[in-house]
Amino acid sequence: MTDESATRANGTGDPQMQAKRPVSASLAGPYGHPFHPILVTVPIGAWVTSLVFDIASHVVDRPGFLTQGSEWLIAVGVIGALLAATVGFLDMFAIPTRTPAFRTALVHMTLNLLVTAAYAINFLWRYSTYADGGSVGVGRLVLSAVSLAVLGVSGFLGGKLAYRYGVRVADENTQAEGYTPGTRARDASPTG
């Protein structure tokens, strides 16, 4: 094996293979099993549910519990988003710069940071005025809906990073182990 092919085999010379390997397996998740996708479920779930609570607060007779629940779901989402962003930064650092994948990652990150900031503002706005136990104000509801729509666009870009560009996804040879009859899946190491 030549030096060049050895470099390509371990993923340091091939930009596509470089983006599949974790910068730090202990922090970002092992090869082929990143932590970022599972962590993003916390803010997404919290923020979607908070919007449902916001809408429901306009339907029930005593909406105070929904209004307050929505407020705290937004806080849980912000904390979860910050944790997911930390791991997401590590995944982004593995992507070679000046590539379409890196540009997509920058837009994905920027949108997520804007959404997180919008939800932090939304939480502070609600927290500073919550007292009457009434429905969520229209402005706060609209801010949540718009933030969630932007999050949807960002999620689409995150899917593009994983499913189109293969960022942090195991290479095809490793994936093929799951489709070969009579073999058992090996550990998550890149060399098998």
Side-chain angles (χ1 to χ4, degrees), residues 5-162:
S5 61
T7 300
R8 287 191 177 277
N10 69 18
T12 57
D14 183 358
Q16 185 179 3
M17 293 304 294
Q18 177 183 333
K20 293 178 179 297
R21 306 280 188 259
V23 172
S24 169
S26 61
L27 295 175
Y31 171 74
H33 204 288
F35 294 151
H36 181 69
I38 192 66
L39 290 175
V40 299
T41 62
V42 173
I44 292 170
W47 291 337
V48 167
T49 306
S50 75
L51 182 61
V52 170
F53 281 19
D54 287 350
I55 294 167
S57 77
H58 290 271
V59 177
V60 300
D61 290 333
R62 290 189 287 177
F65 73 99
L66 292 168
T67 303
Q68 192 170 24
S70 178
E71 177 184 323
W72 290 106
L73 282 166
I74 288 171
V76 167
V78 169
I79 293 166
L82 294 174
L83 292 171
T86 302
V87 177
F89 284 130
L90 292 174
D91 289 346
M92 190 177 82
F93 292 143
I95 304 170
T97 58
R98 294 189 294 270
T99 62
F102 188 78
R103 287 189 296 276
T104 301
L106 281 176
V107 174
H108 173 70
M109 176 192 69
T110 302
L111 290 176
N112 284 335
L113 292 175
L114 288 172
V115 167
T116 303
Y119 272 111
I121 291 166
N122 200 334
F123 173 80
L124 294 173
W125 186 11
R126 291 166 188 246
Y127 189 76
S128 66
T129 61
Y130 178 78
D132 65 357
S135 300
V136 172
V138 173
R140 294 173 186 103
L141 194 147
V142 168
L143 181 57
S144 286
V146 169
S147 298
L148 205 55
V150 173
L151 186 65
V153 172
S154 179
F156 173 82
L157 294 175
K160 184 175 183 178
L161 287 166

